[in-house]
């Protein structure tokens, strides 16, 4: 079931709100009368987000169970037809999808988890059948296509890809950033607010894309001179594009060493060697990120460092219960 709508974050703010294919919540809405419950999404991630369920087939009025459907024809503009009777639901689905994404736009979503391989919701590599009934994995679900067009910067992902821990962490990084960014635009839409936001995201951006970090820094330097709308539109695009770049052990290690630089006058030689050793173990993929990061946070809490270092989202990006930094 979806998380109750009045759930709030520990900051007293509106919770992170994500769209989701209804079947992933365990609801029996699939063509065969079943579901595709994803226990991580419901039992773990569901503790921290509000789910907004969407089932395209049911919402256009089809029954449960129902005849299975598939995409046919041109992968760039496929038709949605039933497998056996060849009933065409393309226009009906497209009309509904355009209306539905406008409804969802009013809910200020921070991301969306879609059902992989679905002819309505699959985000990529959905089977499209040619005139001879031969499938190619070259399509996108009709609803997913409308959602991507309407929300080009919104973090979208398929549940199947979220079984990969690296992709899961990347998606949640983007979701949390989207949430924090929209909160800024609601609560403190000022050049000062932008500078504060960018300062807090410095290390996170460096771990994803140093080039985007540098580009966004130059943009923030113009915060007082560029028109606010132009500034925030360009910044938000760079933010989401930069965070979509995957992190690597090497980039993370560089960030850890950068933060360690604030402790160079405080740590003993033994402490430095220990911390550098754990960072190197992580770089070589012999230990999870949580190991050097925990030791680094311990030292940062015990010694005087600039305030902005403590404000880094990188140090506390999301609830520890998600275990996103515990894998090698």
């Amino acid at each position: 079931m979806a998380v109750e709508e009045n759930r709030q974050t520990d900051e007293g703010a509106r919770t992170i709100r994500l769209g989701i294919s209804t079947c992933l919540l365990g609801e029996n809405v699939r063509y065969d009368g079943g579901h595709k419950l994803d226990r991580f999404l419901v039992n773990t991630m569901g503790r921290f987000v509000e789910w907004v369920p969407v089932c395209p087939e049911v919402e256009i009025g089809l029954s449960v169970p129902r005849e299975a459907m598939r995409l046919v024809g041109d992968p760039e503009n496929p038709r949605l037809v039933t497998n056996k009777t060849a009933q065409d639901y393309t226009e009906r689905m497209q009309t509904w999808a355009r209306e539905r994404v406008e409804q969802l736009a009013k809910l200020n979503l921070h991301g969306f988890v879609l059902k992989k391989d679905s002819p309505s919701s699959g985000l990529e590599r959905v089977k499209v059948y040619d005139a001879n009934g031969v499938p190619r994995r070259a399509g996108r679900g009709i609803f997913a296509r409308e959602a991507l067009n309407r929300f080009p910067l919104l973090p979208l992902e398929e549940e199947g890809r979220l079984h990969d821990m690296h992709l899961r962490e990347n998606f949640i990084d983007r979701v949390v950033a989207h949430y924090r960014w929209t909160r800024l635009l609601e609560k403190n839409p000022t050049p000062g607010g932008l500078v504060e936001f960018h300062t807090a995201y410095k290390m996170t951006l460096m771990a994803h894309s140093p080039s985007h970090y540098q580009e966004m820094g130059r943009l923030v330097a113009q915060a007082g001179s560029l028109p606010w709308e132009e500034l925030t539109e360009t910044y938000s695009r760079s933010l989401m594009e930069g965070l979509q770049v995957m992190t690597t052990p090497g980039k993370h290690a560089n960030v850890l060493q950068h933060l360690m630089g604030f402790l160079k006058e405080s740590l003993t030689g033994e402490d430095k060697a220990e911390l550098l050793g754990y960072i190197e173990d992580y770089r070589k993929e012999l230990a999870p990120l949580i190991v050097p990061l925990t030791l680094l946070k311990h030292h940062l809490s015990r010694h005087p460092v600039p305030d902005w270092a403590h404000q880094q989202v990188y140090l506390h990006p999301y609830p520890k219960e998600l275990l996103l930094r515990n894998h090698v």
Side-chain angles (χ1 to χ4, degrees):
M1 296 180 64
V3 177
E4 59 272 19
E5 291 196 7
N6 64 350
R7 173 176 288 185
Q8 297 185 327
T9 66
D10 55 5
E11 297 174 343
R14 187 185 65 231
T15 187
I16 293 174
R17 180 178 293 138
L18 302 178
I20 189 171
S21 293
T22 306
C23 60
L24 300 176
L25 296 176
E27 301 289 336
N28 295 318
V29 294
R30 285 176 59 78
Y31 73 94
D32 59 0
H35 60 75
K36 286 291 183 178
L37 173 66
D38 188 296
R39 297 190 182 280
F40 168 76
L41 294 175
V42 173
N43 298 336
T44 303
M45 195 169 169
R47 296 161 59 191
F48 307 101
V49 306
E50 174 191 330
W51 293 118
V52 177
V54 177
C55 180
E57 289 90 346
V58 169
E59 292 187 31
I60 66 169
L62 300 182
S63 62
V64 180
R66 58 187 173 273
E67 186 180 351
M69 294 187 287
R70 63 185 184 180
L71 298 177
V72 301
D74 179 6
E76 294 301 316
N77 189 28
R79 310 296 296 178
L80 178 65
V81 302
T82 55
N83 289 2
K84 295 181 180 179
T85 61
Q87 293 184 67
D88 193 321
Y89 286 99
T90 310
E91 279 74 23
R92 186 168 167 182
M93 181 64 76
Q94 288 174 334
T95 299
W96 168 85
R98 285 191 289 267
E99 295 173 352
R100 191 67 167 103
V101 295
E102 293 306 320
Q103 294 171 359
L104 293 170
K106 298 175 183 177
L107 298 179
N108 299 315
L109 298 180
H110 304 108
F112 212 116
V113 181
L114 294 154
K115 180 69 190 78
K116 73 181 182 72
D117 297 331
S118 165
S120 61
S121 299
L123 189 59
E124 57 184 34
R125 301 187 73 249
V126 178
K127 288 181 181 179
V128 182
Y129 293 78
D130 65 19
N132 297 316
V134 177
R136 286 178 55 205
R137 284 196 169 274
R140 174 171 288 143
I142 291 179
F143 170 70
R145 186 182 299 273
E146 288 294 335
L148 189 60
N149 289 339
R150 181 63 178 82
F151 310 116
L153 298 181
L154 193 70
L156 303 177
E157 192 54 274
E158 295 180 329
E159 98 291 351
R161 282 167 50 86
L162 294 180
H163 296 161
D164 181 307
M165 291 297 290
H166 202 189
L167 294 174
R168 179 184 294 183
E169 182 176 5
N170 179 271
F171 175 66
I172 294 177
D173 257 346
R174 291 183 287 133
V175 165
V176 173
H178 192 280
Y179 168 78
R180 290 175 178 267
W181 175 246
T182 54
R183 288 286 295 168
L184 166 72
L185 296 180
E186 291 172 2
K187 300 296 183 181
N188 188 18
T190 65
L194 175 60
V195 171
E196 184 178 336
F197 177 93
H198 183 70
T199 299
Y201 260 93
K202 280 186 174 182
M203 297 297 102
T204 300
L205 288 165
M206 286 179 65
H208 281 268
S209 175
S211 63
H212 280 84
Y213 163 71
Q214 293 171 358
E215 171 192 327
M216 293 163 69
R218 290 191 291 269
L219 188 64
V220 171
Q222 303 176 64
S225 56
L226 288 178
W228 180 249
E229 221 172 278
E230 176 187 339
L231 176 66
T232 53
E233 181 179 341
T234 304
Y235 186 90
S236 61
R237 184 170 59 253
S238 294
L239 173 67
M240 301 315 299
E241 289 176 353
L243 293 180
Q244 198 159 9
V245 178
M246 301 299 288
T247 59
T248 66
K251 287 187 284 189
H252 272 303
N254 289 340
V255 168
L256 294 171
Q257 290 175 337
H258 188 92
L259 288 168
M260 183 180 170
F262 294 112
L263 297 164
K264 61 183 178 181
E265 303 299 331
S266 303
L267 297 184
T268 65
E270 184 179 350
D271 286 338
K272 290 178 184 176
E274 180 185 37
L275 182 50
L276 286 171
Y278 283 130
I279 292 174
E280 189 59 23
D281 283 347
Y282 165 70
R283 189 197 297 271
K284 294 178 179 178
E285 300 184 53
L286 300 175
L289 178 58
I290 193 68
V291 173
L293 188 59
T294 298
L295 183 58
L296 175 63
K297 290 194 290 187
H298 167 74
H299 288 305
L300 288 172
S301 69
R302 290 170 57 87
H303 300 288
V305 297
D307 288 341
W308 75 267
H310 290 297
Q311 295 162 5
Q312 290 305 298
V313 171
Y314 182 86
L315 297 174
H316 306 280
Y318 21 66
K320 60 185 178 181
E321 290 86 350
L322 296 179
L323 303 177
L324 295 177
R325 290 176 161 180
N326 294 53
H327 60 283
V328 177

